[in-house]
Amino acid sequence: MDTGTLIQNVQQAASPTELIQAVQALAASSEAEAIPALIEVLGYNNPAAAITAMQGLVRWGETAVPLLIEKLDGYNYGARAYAIRALATLGDARALEVLVQAAETDFAPSVRRAATKGLGGIYRAAPQRIQTSLSQLVQDEDWSIRYAAVVSLEAIAQAVDHPNAEASLKHLAGQDAEPVVQARALLALQRLRQLIPSEL
Amino acid sequence: MQDNALPDPSLTREKALANLVGEDLSLRYYAAWWLGRMRVNDQEAVDALMVALSDEADRTELGGYPLRRNAARALGKLGDVRAVPALMACLECEDFYVREAAAQSLAVLGDNRCVAALRQLLAGGVEAAQQMPGQPHLRQPYEDVLEALGALKAQDAVAEVAPFLEHPVPRVRLSAARAMYSLTGERQYAEQLVRALEDPDINLRRVALSDLGAVGYLEAAQPIARARTENSFKLFALKGLLDVHLNVAPSVALAMEPHPENPLPAVLDLIDNLL
């Protein structure tokens, strides 16, 4: 089946089951015209279809990045969260501005979490900028944002042995108001150097 | 008023306390919510909210007491057990939603003095637990009463709670299962909640998620992560699950000590994947 037909099948699916099957078929297509169509699916308000489309987009690697950025849905935060998740997974430096903006200023926590988690993966693209951003995010009012920042800090510390990242993790492991954030920071430190809890 | 709504940043503690007894009923209502949301738990604020529990000025067309509802909810957030007797009195209020808010707050405050008063609301058993004619709710806030009895570890109430496992309303059955698991520690009740994660009704799946988080049933971590709901619901359920265990442990650090059987790191991995 050519990609045009696969796209049509997605757009004309009459039931959720049909939609998911059509998206699966489209995600397997190797023609680039599938990319914008998959991005559209992120906004259909069907989580199963959106996850399949997102995985399909990630499979395209860096080819999907420009369109994911260009077609970021400013009016549908559900769609935006999936697109940001795809960009975060791809770890492409061109997404820097989009991820920083989303992490710092989006109103939707789901978008912010995904973007914050993604910052760790593109640290090398702009160390200063991302460090500044994360130093704010670890103080966010929302525990889930701080948690996502911990995940980012761990990625940074593992990739570049960054002393600031480790210091932040230590601070969060000892001081954060939420036990789950403390626990996640502690786990990061343990993975980093098998740190003994009593050293904290 | 939603708990995740953003509080008015221009309000201050002093202004809220003044508004709570002011002329404007909508400002009173907002002030009660605000004091809870901002966790203003000094003696004066708690006293003022306790007074608001017997407010007569703010009435709905159907005879409800909006200010009492908000005050009862706020007192649950402030953690001061001086409010317990006043909240117990609210369990007899004619307004269903005041009774509901009081039961929720009493569960959070964790003071056992209220157990008998809560059990009183289960009087008549499942038989009496009928839909109120023309109302969107049952005779009593059974879900909250059952959950409160579970949270308060009211072992004596097991015989009254158990029959609600067969209540015709699915959400009441979930609350009973949650309470029974809290009271007995028997897996069968937690597994009933796990099964509800597969229910065709997404709202029921969401309720089951929060129930499993609240009781800290670690075996549910994988099924929670797989449930067909939005990531945010699963995220909060997994956090709840961990909170139960991280609080029981002497310290977070101890709980995280590397140990092949420590299940907590795997739960954290599941959370990572939901971000």
Side-chain angles (χ1 to χ4, degrees):
Chain A
M1 225 183 285
D2 66 74
T3 305
T5 312
L6 295 175
I7 293 171
Q8 245 178 24
N9 290 347
V10 168
Q11 287 165 345
Q12 291 167 0
S15 71
T17 320
E18 242 180 80
L19 175 65
I20 288 160
Q21 281 165 356
V23 173
Q24 276 166 350
L26 180 62
S29 162
S30 53
E31 282 178 58
E33 47 172 325
I35 297 175
L38 288 170
I39 292 175
E40 223 168 90
V41 175
L42 304 180
Y44 282 9
N45 195 24
N46 178 318
I51 286 168
T52 306
M54 184 185 78
Q55 287 163 347
L57 286 161
V58 169
R59 221 172 41 83
W60 277 95
E62 59 174 41
T63 313
V65 171
L67 275 175
L68 273 167
I69 294 171
E70 187 192 314
K71 292 185 176 296
L72 204 60
D73 193 332
Y75 297 97
N76 178 340
Y77 69 86
R80 204 154 67 244
Y82 288 113
I84 292 286
R85 257 180 219 130
L87 287 168
T89 309
L90 289 167
D92 190 292
R94 284 171 290 175
L96 172 72
E97 276 313 311
V98 167
L99 291 181
V100 169
Q101 283 292 325
E104 290 180 355
T105 63
D106 207 286
F107 78 88
S110 56
V111 176
R112 297 189 64 208
R113 285 193 286 268
T116 302
K117 184 185 175 190
L119 291 180
I122 53 165
Y123 179 72
R124 284 201 180 89
Q128 212 55 48
R129 183 74 202 276
I130 286 177
Q131 206 175 309
T132 311
S133 192
L134 283 173
S135 64
Q136 281 177 41
L137 293 165
V138 295
Q139 297 178 49
D140 201 273
E141 194 183 85
D142 181 339
W143 72 268
S144 70
I145 303 295
R146 302 199 302 277
Y147 186 104
V150 168
V151 175
S152 258
L153 288 168
E154 182 185 7
I156 292 169
Q158 271 180 351
V160 295
D161 188 25
H162 199 292
N164 285 351
E166 207 175 301
S168 295
L169 288 172
K170 272 192 186 169
H171 182 78
L172 290 156
Q175 305 289 322
D176 198 273
E178 286 292 343
V180 70
V181 176
Q182 287 188 29
R184 184 63 186 83
L186 206 56
L187 183 66
L189 289 168
Q190 278 173 4
R191 285 179 186 154
L192 280 170
R193 26 178 222 140
Q194 300 297 314
L195 191 100
I196 305 159
S198 60
E199 277 180 34
L200 290 171
Chain B
M1 193 157 294
Q2 288 296 308
D3 201 35
N4 54 10
L6 289 178
D8 177 356
S10 70
L11 203 56
T12 60
R13 172 191 171 278
E14 284 65 33
K15 228 155 76 181
L17 287 174
N19 288 351
L20 194 58
V21 290
E23 291 291 303
D24 187 330
L25 294 182
S26 67
L27 286 182
R28 282 195 202 183
Y29 178 77
Y30 187 84
W33 175 81
W34 189 90
L35 289 166
R37 175 68 169 76
M38 301 304 286
R39 304 284 196 276
V40 182
N41 60 351
D42 57 72
Q43 199 162 346
E44 198 183 347
V46 173
D47 285 339
L49 286 166
M50 279 161 57
V51 171
L53 288 181
S54 37
D55 170 78
E56 286 292 350
D58 191 4
R59 305 294 301 266
T60 66
E61 286 151 31
L62 296 170
Y65 291 96
L67 177 60
R68 293 191 192 187
R69 297 172 191 169
N70 264 5
R73 290 179 193 123
L75 284 165
K77 295 194 172 69
L78 302 188
D80 189 333
V81 293
R82 285 189 304 130
V84 169
L87 287 168
M88 282 163 59
C90 287
L91 293 176
E92 290 168 34
C93 180
E94 65 202 67
D95 179 354
F96 172 90
Y97 298 103
V98 171
R99 301 198 298 278
E100 180 184 68
Q104 283 170 9
S105 290
L106 286 167
V108 180
L109 292 178
D111 185 320
N112 283 48
R113 278 179 291 171
C114 64
V115 166
L118 284 166
R119 285 169 70 176
Q120 203 53 50
L121 298 193
L122 298 184
V126 175
E127 195 95 310
Q130 307 276 336
Q131 190 79 25
M132 292 301 278
Q135 302 279 352
H137 56 73
L138 301 174
R139 180 185 300 274
Q140 298 291 356
Y142 296 101
E143 291 163 44
D144 302 283
V145 172
L146 293 166
E147 287 168 21
L149 289 169
L152 293 162
K153 300 280 177 211
Q155 318 289 356
D156 296 349
V158 164
E160 287 143 79
V161 171
F164 283 86
L165 292 164
E166 310 291 335
H167 194 277
V169 176
R171 292 178 71 136
V172 175
R173 290 201 294 273
L174 288 191
S175 296
R178 167 173 162 172
M180 286 300 285
Y181 180 66
S182 298
L183 295 175
T184 67
E186 283 178 39
R187 292 178 50 132
Q188 53 165 321
Y189 303 116
E191 288 297 331
Q192 189 172 334
L193 299 171
V194 172
R195 281 196 298 280
L197 294 176
E198 302 283 333
D199 196 276
D201 176 359
I202 186 168
N203 286 315
L204 207 70
R205 299 201 295 272
R206 290 175 183 148
V207 173
L209 281 176
S210 89
D211 286 340
L212 285 162
V215 298
Y217 186 58
L218 277 176
E219 289 88 332
Q222 293 279 359
I224 286 173
R226 278 198 305 267
R228 286 171 298 125
T229 70
E230 303 82 342
N231 277 5
S232 54
F233 285 91
K234 302 195 267 189
L235 195 65
F236 281 85
L238 290 175
K239 174 182 182 280
L241 210 62
L242 284 172
D243 279 343
V244 171
H245 295 275
L246 293 170
N247 284 338
V248 167
S251 74
V252 174
L254 271 181
M256 292 304 300
E257 216 167 347
H259 188 282
E261 279 154 46
N262 185 348
L264 303 188
V267 183
L268 291 167
D269 283 341
L270 293 173
I271 293 184
D272 283 16
N273 288 325
L274 291 170
L275 298 174

